């Protein structure tokens, strides 16, 4: 994996985490937290969405959408854990 791939992962993670934080109120964790949420969300969505038969396509836009969906799932789970 080259440096370009890592930079793309970080950018996609930051955008996806930011979007997920906007959708789930109170879910933002700052820039580094959003990157982590976006990357973890990408892993979650990369596993979960194909299990449900959902395919959003290829490319950077679909990667951001997939990561944001996964980030939303992660943030909802984190908010449920915080309440307990």
């Amino acid at each position: 994996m080259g440096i370009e791939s890592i930079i793309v992962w970080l950018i996609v993670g930051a955008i996806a985490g930011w979007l997920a934080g906007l959708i789930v109120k109170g879910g933002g964790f700052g820039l580094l937290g959003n990157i982590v949420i976006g990357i973890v969300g990408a892993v979650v969505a990369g596993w979960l969405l194909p299990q449900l038969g959902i395919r959003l396509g290829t490319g950077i836009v679909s990667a951001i959408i997939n990561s944001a969906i996964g980030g939303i799932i992660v943030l909802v789970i984190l908010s449920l854990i915080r309440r307990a």
Side-chain angles (χ1 to χ4, degrees):
M1 179 174 5
I3 189 73
E4 297 88 8
S5 298
I6 294 171
I7 291 172
V8 170
W9 272 42
L10 293 175
I11 291 171
V12 168
I15 293 171
W18 174 72
L19 286 173
L22 287 178
I23 293 170
V24 178
K25 298 295 180 197
F29 290 100
L31 179 62
L32 291 177
N34 285 346
I35 291 172
V36 171
I37 292 295
I39 292 173
V40 170
V43 171
V44 169
W47 175 80
L48 182 63
L49 294 180
Q51 297 293 323
L52 299 173
I54 300 172
R55 307 250 185 237
L56 296 178
T58 60
I60 192 87
V61 174
S62 69
I64 292 172
I65 293 170
N66 278 335
S67 299
I69 291 170
I72 292 167
I73 293 168
V74 170
L75 288 176
V76 167
I77 291 170
L78 285 176
S79 69
L80 293 173
I81 291 172
R82 281 189 199 166
R83 289 184 188 166

